[in-house]
């Protein structure tokens, strides 16, 4: 049920006891119902759930591991080190819609970083009752942060000792601290008469009052664990059960300390012949209530927060089609396997996370025993702090929103561990697709959201161009297998073509079925199912989506409907992406035409410029730099127009032309800024811009600078000291026609480097921009150590070093411009470098 509760294995990571203690302390600190610890994985770009407290691992397997590029709070906290508080479901939907769509229940959550010495080890999370706003849980957040700091300190110590502090196993699942007296504790034990060997789990040993780890190895030792008045009859009861005559149930026995226990015995179906299995229940104060529940016409059963059945009356066992002895003390999904249905699991997730009861219908398997008229049960689940109480009665009729029939047992079903209920997949995918703007991003969303939901392992997306299909994305297929299908025409008899030309999805439960429908088609595997989905947007064919599965499987009617609907969402997203690509290409071309191909040269000045376009959003923005001849000197300028796209690039071109015109006339910096400001206001493009302008006299190194809302330049002196140049500055261009732009004088010594840059180089989500400027200042200082121009390293190489990290980043939220200038120490002529 939980994947690791009670496992004897030793995970290759921090000690489970350390992590579980932190998780339990976190629940106490933040008044939580459930929570856990995420740690870094050895796999690049992945964090994994190491401990899950208060929830069944099976139901939350989709969140066992999370990629660091996913829009989830645990990822943001791990990446930025800033806590996140989602007070309620409304706040979660506003800030993290994909999380809210996957877990659409009324609960609040807190996330704090497990970090020390500038390094993030993971995240501590707590799920709790919803609050009105974040202010209500500030105290809990602070207490939770202290727990996280304590865990981080222990992980630092372990790392210093050479122990691993990553996690790549299944999560350890533990019970939360009890909200009150723990009713219905259950343990199991067995006895083999042939060897007189008794084996008991940890809970049974605790219920017998035995010290931890003390195993009653023989029947005589087990008898000594109960009250002397019961010790004489316990061996007799076990022996009668072994002979096939179990006593009436349940039996009452008392421990040596007088605690009442209920005992059920039966001949084990598995294990050595004649062996006996027993379940020991601590009824707490509810023994009379248990007896009363047996008289009810409804089935009543209780599960704890890890899914273990702690009580079931006779009616519940009857309706579920399971012997009552097989229910108590076992995980619900193990005792009643046909409840392994996504819709059922979704309702139970809701009951575990929300205080509201849930009601739903579930269909019993057709080949099961006929214990009542009809095949459907009506289930109600009532959540409590420690237990879920469930009722079951036969359904008189099947409602229209009832759960689908389980997948045929002979055909492997999709991996239930990797999916949430199909009801919510269109919501999650639709939300994720709204954030994807390129064909590659759309394909990545399909790979992350749709494929795991149905247990798929392979994906191919083809797009239609001039009546031919061309591969846009592939994953999981053998290398080179798809090459022969590249560029196939719409007259080819292939399932990927016919699904598009007919507009009908094609589903094949197995590879032989596919081969029978298309004789001679090349197959990439001997087994597995395939789904071919047409991508059609607004009646226009866009392409084809192919999903591949490693094993044969059937597709229920609900799954076919959902997949067809999702294909429509993908098609619209792809159509939008194609329009984006067209506009982005136009914007990139315009921008490249407006940026300088080469910088103006001066015999005594060396310059170097770098520009990196953003890779998110519209992909191009309004950042620019320029070097302009100004009298007998040079003007260095850098600017950033608000926004992205064609409009931003066009505005940037107009501003660059204006600044060049003012600079060529050798106007003072304040006049350049004021004149450009009035021009932008007159143009009224609905945008504003920041700018920094420096007029440099190479003969003396004297510079006069003005800035309009732009970041301060950096100056690296010949001795390596690097500082931010404090320029008083004025407001951004395009806002206030009366704005004034004061001028500051500075001196550029031979060998010094002046750096002008835009915010894309120093700004990171969740981090203070001052920290980014400080990091750039450090990088500039280090880039010149022993390598200043004239000392073995050109200014262009310095520029490359300062932009190397940004250049390697897969996703840049903003474009980047950098302009460097220096007066070489040898005073030799240096050409400006673009």
């Amino acid at each position: 049920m939980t994947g690791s509760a009670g496992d004897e294995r030793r995970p290759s990571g921090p000690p489970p006891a350390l992590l579980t203690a932190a998780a339990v302390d976190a629940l106490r600190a933040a008044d939580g119902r459930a929570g856990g610890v995420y740690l870094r994985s050895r796999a690049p770009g992945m964090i994994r759930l190491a401990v899950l407290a208060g929830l069944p691992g099976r139901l939350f397997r989709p969140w066992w591991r999370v990629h660091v590029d996913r829009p989830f709070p645990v990822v943001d906290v791990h990446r930025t080190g800033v806590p996140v508080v989602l007070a309620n479901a409304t706040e979660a939907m506003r800030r993290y819609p994909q999380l809210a769509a996957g877990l659409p229940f009324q609960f609040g959550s807190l996330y704090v970083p497990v970090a020390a010495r500038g390094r993030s080890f993971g995240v501590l999370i707590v799920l709790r009752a919803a609050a009105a706003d974040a202010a209500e849980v500030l105290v809990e957040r602070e207490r939770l942060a202290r727990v996280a700091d304590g865990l981080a300190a222990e992980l630092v110590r372990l790392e210093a000792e050479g122990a691993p502090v990553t996690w790549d196993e299944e999560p350890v699942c533990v019970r939360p601290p009890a909200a009150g007296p723990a009713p219905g504790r259950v343990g199991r034990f067995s006895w083999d008469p042939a060897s007189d060997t008794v084996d008991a789990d940890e809970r049974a040993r605790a219920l017998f009052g035995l010290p931890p780890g003390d195993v009653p190895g023989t029947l005589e030792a087990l008898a000594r664990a109960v009250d002397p008045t019961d010790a004489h009859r316990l061996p007799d009861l076990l022996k009668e059960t072994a002979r096939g005559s179990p006593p009436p149930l349940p039996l009452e026995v008392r421990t040596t300390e007088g605690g009442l226990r209920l005992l059920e015995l039966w001949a084990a179906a598995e294990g050595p012949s004649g062996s006996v299995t027993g379940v020991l229940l601590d009824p707490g104060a509810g023994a009379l209530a248990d007896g009363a529940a047996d008289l009810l016409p409804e089935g009543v059963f209780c599960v704890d927060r890890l899914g273990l059945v702690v009580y079931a009356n006779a009616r519940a066992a009857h309706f579920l089609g399971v012997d009552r002895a097989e229910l108590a003390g076992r995980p619900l999904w193990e005792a009643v396997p046909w409840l392994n249905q996504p819709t059922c699991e979704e309702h139970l997730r809701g009951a575990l996370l929300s205080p509201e009861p849930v009601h739903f219908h579930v269909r019993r398997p057709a080949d099961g025993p006929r214990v009542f008229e009809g095949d459907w049960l009506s289930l109600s689940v009532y959540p409590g702090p420690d237990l879920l109480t469930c009722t079951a009665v036969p359904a008189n009729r099947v409602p229209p929103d009832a759960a689908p029939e389980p997948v045929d047992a002979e055909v492997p079903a999709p991996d239930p561990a990797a999916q949430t209920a199909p009801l919510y997949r269109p919501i999650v995918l639709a939300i994720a697709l709204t954030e994807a703007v390129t064909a590659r991003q759309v394909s990545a969303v399909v790979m992350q959201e749709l494929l795991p939901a149905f247990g798929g392992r392979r994906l191919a997306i083809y797009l239609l161009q001039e009546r031919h299909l061309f591969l846009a994305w592939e994953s999981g297929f053998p290398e080179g297998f798809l090459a022969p299908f590249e560029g196939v025409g719409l007259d080819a008899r292939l399932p990927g073509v016919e699904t598009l030309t007919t507009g009908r999805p094609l589903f094949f439960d197995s590879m032989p079925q596919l081969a029978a429908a298309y004789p001679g088609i090349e197959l990439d595997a001997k087994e597995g199912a395939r789904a071919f989905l047409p991508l059609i947007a607004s009646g226009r064919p866009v392409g084809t989506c192919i999903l591949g599965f490693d094993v044969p499987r059937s597709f229920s009617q609900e799954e076919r409907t959902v997949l067809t609907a999702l294909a429509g969402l993908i098609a619209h997203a792809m159509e939008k992406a194609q329009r984006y690509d067209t506009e982005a290409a136009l914007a990139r071309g315009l921008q490249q035409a407006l940026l300088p191909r080469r910088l103006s040269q001066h015999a005594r000045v060396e310059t170097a410029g770098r520009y990196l376009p953003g890779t998110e959003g519209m992909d191009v923005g309004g950042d620019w730099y320029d070097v302009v001849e100004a009298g007998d000197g040079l003007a260095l300028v850098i600017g950033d127009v608000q926004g992205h796209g064609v409009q931003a690039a066009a505005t940037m071109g107009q501003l660059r032309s204006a600044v060049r015109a003012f600079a060529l006339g050798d106007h003072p910096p304040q006049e350049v800024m004021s004149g450009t400001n009035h021009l932008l206001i007159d143009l009224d493009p609905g945008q504003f811009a920041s700018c920094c302008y420096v007029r440099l006299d190479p003969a003396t190194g004297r510079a006069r600078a003005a800035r309009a809302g732009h970041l301060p330049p950096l100056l690296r002196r010949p001795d390596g000291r690097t500082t931010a140049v404090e320029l008083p500055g004025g407001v951004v261009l395009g806002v206030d026609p009366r704005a004034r732009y004061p001028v500051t004088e500075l001196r550029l010594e031979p060998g010094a480097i002046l750096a002008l840059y835009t915010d894309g180089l120093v700004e990171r989500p969740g981090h203070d921009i001052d920290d980014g400027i400080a990091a750039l200042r450090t990088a500039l200082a280090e880039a010149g150590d022993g390598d200043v121009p004239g000392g073995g390293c050109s200014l262009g190489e310095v520029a490359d070093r300062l932009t190397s990290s940004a250049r390697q980043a897969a996703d840049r939220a903003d474009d980047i411009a950098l302009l460097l200038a220096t007066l070489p120490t040898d005073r030799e002529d240096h050409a400006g470098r673009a």
Side-chain angles (χ1 to χ4, degrees):
M1 174 67 189
T2 62
S4 57
D7 284 359
E8 296 299 327
R9 61 176 174 78
R10 175 66 168 88
S12 55
L18 170 65
L19 302 178
T20 55
V24 171
D25 288 345
L27 297 187
R28 292 194 179 100
D31 192 24
R33 292 284 185 85
V37 180
Y38 276 90
L39 292 180
R40 291 176 300 150
S41 167
R42 289 193 299 270
M46 197 74 65
I47 58 175
R48 294 189 65 119
L49 184 62
V51 170
L52 180 61
L55 293 173
R58 177 191 181 89
L59 292 188
F60 291 85
R61 192 164 182 176
W63 296 273
W64 280 13
R65 62 177 186 172
V66 184
H67 199 276
V68 294
D69 64 359
R70 301 294 297 279
F72 289 130
V74 66
V75 170
D76 284 352
V77 173
H78 177 61
R79 187 180 64 249
T80 67
V82 178
V84 168
V85 176
L86 303 178
N88 47 52
T90 301
E91 180 71 4
M93 177 58 77
R94 184 182 68 82
R95 297 179 59 185
Y96 297 95
Q98 288 181 247
L99 172 69
L103 293 171
F105 313 116
Q106 290 296 327
F107 68 96
S109 52
L110 293 82
Y111 310 78
V112 298
V114 179
R117 300 182 181 178
R119 297 183 56 240
S120 175
F121 295 101
V123 180
L124 196 60
I125 71 171
V126 167
L127 311 180
R128 48 161 288 140
D133 53 49
E136 287 191 17
V137 292
L138 288 180
V139 173
E140 288 84 352
R141 190 194 70 180
E142 295 305 316
R143 290 200 295 255
L144 186 62
R146 289 194 288 271
V147 176
D149 291 343
L151 175 59
E154 288 297 314
L155 294 178
V156 168
R157 180 185 60 80
L158 289 172
E159 188 175 50
E161 295 173 355
V165 292
T166 57
W167 192 272
D168 286 282
E169 310 286 345
E170 293 184 0
V172 176
C173 298
V174 297
R175 285 173 175 75
R185 292 185 298 151
V186 176
R188 298 173 69 90
F189 68 95
S190 63
W191 174 58
D192 178 15
S195 61
D196 190 23
T197 301
V198 173
D199 188 22
D201 65 17
E202 182 179 351
R203 288 182 295 273
R205 294 196 296 268
L207 292 173
F208 277 123
L210 298 171
D214 189 354
V215 180
T218 65
L219 185 57
E220 181 180 356
L222 180 64
R224 288 198 299 268
V226 299
D227 187 88
T229 58
D230 294 321
H232 69 282
R233 65 187 185 104
L234 181 59
D236 293 336
L237 294 172
L238 287 165
K239 292 173 183 177
E240 290 175 10
T241 304
R243 290 193 291 268
S245 301
L249 302 177
L251 304 169
E252 291 187 4
V253 296
R254 293 189 177 274
T255 66
T256 55
E257 297 179 353
L260 177 64
R261 303 290 183 262
L262 300 182
L263 179 66
E264 296 188 3
L265 302 172
W266 63 93
E270 300 178 359
S273 178
S275 62
V276 175
T277 296
V279 168
L280 196 65
L281 172 69
D282 173 11
L288 293 178
D290 292 345
D294 285 339
L295 304 177
L296 295 174
E298 299 174 310
V300 178
F301 61 98
C302 300
V303 297
D304 67 7
R305 294 196 64 83
L306 293 189
L308 195 74
V309 180
V310 297
Y311 171 76
N313 69 356
R315 283 283 182 174
H318 175 71
F319 291 147
L320 295 174
V322 180
D323 289 340
R324 189 178 184 185
E326 292 297 314
L327 277 174
R330 297 181 66 191
L332 179 61
W333 287 269
E334 183 181 306
V336 192
W338 54 267
L339 287 178
N340 295 336
Q341 301 180 37
T343 303
C344 179
E345 293 184 355
E346 188 68 20
H347 286 298
L348 290 171
R349 265 193 292 269
L352 286 162
L353 294 176
S354 173
E356 299 299 322
V358 296
H359 311 279
F360 60 100
H361 289 74
V362 63
R363 190 172 189 176
R364 290 171 37 81
D367 57 354
R370 303 287 293 184
V371 296
F372 57 86
E373 188 67 27
D375 296 327
W376 293 82
L377 278 177
S378 177
L379 295 181
S380 296
V381 184
Y382 300 89
D386 299 314
L387 295 175
L388 302 182
T389 299
C390 312
T391 63
V393 295
N396 295 327
R397 61 184 180 88
V398 180
D401 61 343
E405 184 173 357
V407 178
D408 189 332
E410 295 183 1
V411 180
D415 181 6
Q419 62 184 351
T420 56
L423 173 64
Y424 296 107
R425 300 316 301 175
I427 302 174
V428 174
L429 185 64
I431 293 172
L433 287 175
T434 60
E435 302 174 358
V437 292
T438 68
R440 182 175 182 81
Q441 289 171 342
V442 171
S443 302
V445 167
V446 176
M447 186 71 191
Q448 293 175 346
E449 298 293 349
L450 184 145
L451 208 59
F454 293 89
R457 295 292 183 270
R458 306 182 187 196
L459 172 69
I461 294 180
Y462 285 85
L463 297 181
L464 182 65
Q465 297 178 21
E466 299 180 353
R467 296 187 59 79
H468 290 77
L469 288 172
F470 295 91
L471 187 64
W473 178 282
E474 69 165 308
S475 178
F477 286 91
E479 184 176 358
F481 171 76
L482 297 177
F485 303 102
E486 178 72 0
V488 296
L490 294 185
D491 57 348
R493 190 174 186 276
L494 293 169
V497 173
E498 293 191 1
T499 189
L500 182 61
T501 56
T502 64
R504 296 193 306 270
L506 300 174
F507 299 94
F508 300 95
D509 296 351
S510 64
M511 297 304 279
Q513 190 181 76
L514 174 60
Y518 294 88
I521 189 174
E522 291 291 330
L523 302 177
D524 59 299
K526 294 181 179 181
E527 297 182 352
R530 293 291 181 270
F532 297 84
L533 308 174
L535 303 182
I536 299 175
S538 304
R540 189 179 72 86
V542 175
T544 297
C545 179
I546 304 172
L547 305 181
F549 303 83
D550 289 344
V551 295
R553 57 156 294 168
S554 64
F555 296 89
S556 68
Q557 185 57 49
E558 182 189 25
E559 287 179 315
R560 293 173 185 240
T561 301
V562 170
L563 284 171
T564 303
L566 294 179
L569 293 177
I570 297 167
H572 280 284
M574 280 295 184
E575 185 181 47
K576 180 185 70 175
Q578 290 175 321
R579 290 197 303 268
Y580 160 82
D581 288 338
T582 301
E583 184 178 352
L586 173 62
R588 279 193 296 269
L590 175 60
Q591 187 180 50
Q592 290 300 321
L594 294 174
L595 285 172
R597 293 183 178 273
R598 59 187 298 274
L599 301 178
S600 297
Q601 302 176 6
H602 194 283
R604 295 184 173 183
V605 181
E606 182 180 356
T607 58
R610 295 293 182 266
Y611 174 80
L612 301 177
T615 57
E616 297 179 357
M618 264 310 298
D619 199 27
V620 292
D623 291 24
W624 92 94
Y625 62 87
D626 208 350
V627 177
V628 188
E629 295 180 13
D632 57 356
L634 286 180
L636 311 172
V637 60
I638 196 163
D640 183 1
V641 177
Q642 168 221 11
H644 294 79
V646 175
Q647 182 61 53
T651 302
M652 176 267 283
Q654 292 171 313
L655 291 183
R656 176 173 176 259
S657 298
V659 172
R660 285 187 66 88
F662 285 118
L664 288 170
D666 202 13
H667 290 273
Q670 66 270 28
E671 293 184 12
V672 175
M673 290 287 96
S674 295
T676 307
N677 178 49
H678 283 102
L679 174 65
L680 185 58
I681 292 174
D682 291 341
L683 291 173
D684 191 22
Q687 294 172 304
F688 57 82
S690 66
C691 185
C692 184
Y693 182 92
V694 179
R695 190 347 183 134
L696 176 64
D697 181 357
T700 63
R702 177 172 173 264
R704 303 177 70 237
R707 68 184 179 110
H710 203 79
L711 298 172
L714 299 181
L715 179 61
R716 184 191 188 279
R717 293 178 171 80
D719 60 5
R721 290 182 298 118
T722 304
T723 58
V725 180
E726 294 299 330
L727 304 180
V731 299
V732 292
L733 305 174
V735 175
D736 182 5
R738 297 170 298 179
R740 296 292 180 264
Y741 300 95
V743 175
T744 301
E745 290 196 5
L746 60 146
R747 184 172 182 275
L748 196 64
E749 304 172 72
I753 301 175
L754 182 67
L756 309 180
Y757 53 94
T758 57
D759 55 5
L761 188 59
V762 295
E763 194 169 30
R764 296 291 180 273
H767 288 76
D768 194 305
I769 195 170
D770 290 339
D771 295 336
I773 295 174
L776 179 63
R777 188 179 67 216
T778 300
L780 179 59
E782 294 175 348
D785 285 344
D787 294 325
V788 293
C793 180
S794 71
L795 195 63
E797 290 174 310
V798 174
D800 289 337
R801 292 185 185 185
L802 297 182
T803 57
S804 62
S805 296
R807 194 180 302 275
Q808 296 168 8
D811 296 310
R812 290 189 296 272
D814 199 359
D815 41 354
I816 293 170
L818 173 69
L819 179 61
L820 303 181
T822 187
L823 303 179
T825 55
D826 55 12
R827 299 308 239 170
E828 294 180 356
D829 291 350
H830 287 269
R833 295 182 175 88

